[in-house]
Amino acid sequence: MYTTKGQLDRDAALRQYVPLVRRLAHHMIAKLPPSVEVDDLIQVGMIGLAEALTRFEATQGVQFETFATQRIRGAMLDELRENDWMSRGSRKSQKEIEHAVHRLEHRLGRSPAESEIAAELKMSLVDYQSLLGKVRGTQLIYLEDMTGGNEDDDGFLDRHVGDPEADPENRLSDTRMRKALVEAIKALPEREQFIMSMYYEQDMNLKEIAAVLGVTESRICQLHSQSIARLRAKMRSH
């Protein structure tokens, strides 16, 4: 990636890391509503990559790909935050699902089955599953901010442990939050645990997960949305 004069060849570096931008965009798009175009995420990600090339210093002690990944993901998330990309109706539906899950867990003392959630919402199972597909994306910022995707992490929750230089009270709060989230994930139904692990820890996309579990990609999308609703319901008290 360097010229004969020892300078960083930006054009060569941009070409080399375009696949990284595309991979991150396709991974993120799975959690977004159909109104968000993957090409838009890629364009924003390229801006993040260009910024990473400008700001990277080898003396920082991290690999460029790790540094660039954080910048690219950050640029995409910032773009999503700045735009109203989720309809009010979808946000309302997501909250209704979370409230239903919360009520059922309190009443049953366990994670409710999909059919039980549908009944609590006074919907057929088919209509509920369709709704799960429609609300995808409401959970993105919440979970991405908490779990991240740093490739040097031990797992998909390990980024959320607090800055070593942060205020001790904040560090304690972060640690408690992480522990609570870990416990919430352990309480998920086994299939949903597998999906969360494959998606966040093994960096597999929905199509790959669907192939492993022998179901359709849209079904994985539904189960992913349901998993996040369960987690959000669990985390309300933290």
Side-chain angles (χ1 to χ4, degrees):
M1 292 195 301
Y2 292 87
T3 65
T4 55
K5 296 181 179 180
Q7 298 177 328
L8 181 66
D9 187 334
R10 288 177 57 84
D11 289 341
L14 282 171
R15 289 193 299 272
Q16 179 176 342
Y17 286 100
V18 165
L20 173 63
V21 175
R22 291 184 176 277
R23 178 169 62 82
L24 292 172
H26 281 281
H27 192 261
M28 187 175 290
I29 200 70
K31 294 170 288 183
L32 295 171
S35 59
V36 180
E37 297 287 343
V38 68
D39 287 345
D40 293 337
L41 283 183
I42 291 172
Q43 289 180 3
V44 174
M46 289 301 295
I47 295 173
L49 174 59
E51 181 183 357
L53 287 168
T54 299
R55 295 177 176 271
F56 179 70
E57 295 180 7
T59 56
Q60 292 175 328
V62 296
Q63 294 182 346
F64 175 74
E65 184 166 336
T66 299
F67 181 79
T69 295
Q70 293 172 340
R71 289 287 177 176
I72 294 165
R73 287 167 57 86
M76 292 176 181
L77 286 169
D78 286 344
E79 176 69 14
L80 293 168
R81 289 189 185 96
E82 290 172 4
N83 292 280
D84 187 12
W85 47 274
M86 175 56 64
S87 70
R88 290 183 179 181
S90 294
R91 293 181 190 277
K92 181 183 178 188
S93 295
Q94 176 72 19
K95 288 182 180 179
E96 289 174 349
I97 294 172
E98 292 167 23
H99 288 310
V101 170
H102 182 73
R103 291 193 301 270
L104 286 167
E105 287 183 342
H106 181 72
R107 189 187 312 154
L108 301 173
R110 58 172 172 78
S111 292
E114 199 169 16
S115 58
E116 292 172 327
I117 301 173
E120 181 72 13
L121 290 168
K122 296 180 172 58
M123 303 175 70
S124 69
L125 181 58
V126 171
D127 287 343
Y128 171 60
Q129 290 174 341
S130 176
L131 182 63
L132 285 173
K134 292 176 182 176
V135 301
R136 84 180 198 198
T138 55
Q139 68 270 16
L140 176 70
I141 303 300
Y142 174 87
L143 201 64
E144 287 293 331
D145 282 348
M146 294 187 69
T147 65
N150 190 326
E151 295 185 3
D152 285 346
D153 287 343
D154 292 330
F156 65 100
L157 298 175
D158 287 320
R159 192 184 67 155
H160 195 70
V161 295
D163 184 342
E165 303 300 323
D167 179 81
E169 185 174 346
N170 290 335
R171 289 175 60 194
L172 180 60
S173 177
D174 284 346
T175 302
R176 286 174 176 168
M177 179 69 77
R178 178 185 180 279
K179 182 178 180 180
L181 190 53
V182 169
E183 292 303 314
I185 289 173
K186 288 180 179 178
L188 289 173
E190 187 175 31
R191 174 175 280 196
E192 292 179 30
Q193 285 189 51
F194 286 152
I195 291 171
M196 296 293 283
S197 176
M198 286 186 281
Y199 190 87
Y200 290 99
E201 196 168 15
Q202 299 178 39
D203 202 27
M204 295 171 66
N205 60 41
L206 298 188
K207 185 176 182 179
E208 292 168 336
I209 297 172
V212 171
L213 296 182
V215 297
T216 65
E217 188 173 339
S218 62
R219 181 60 179 148
I220 295 299
C221 179
Q222 293 169 1
L223 290 171
H224 179 270
S225 291
Q226 184 168 262
S227 299
I228 302 304
R230 292 185 196 275
L231 293 179
R232 287 176 63 112
K234 288 274 190 185
M235 299 301 292
R236 282 186 177 277
S237 60
H238 295 277

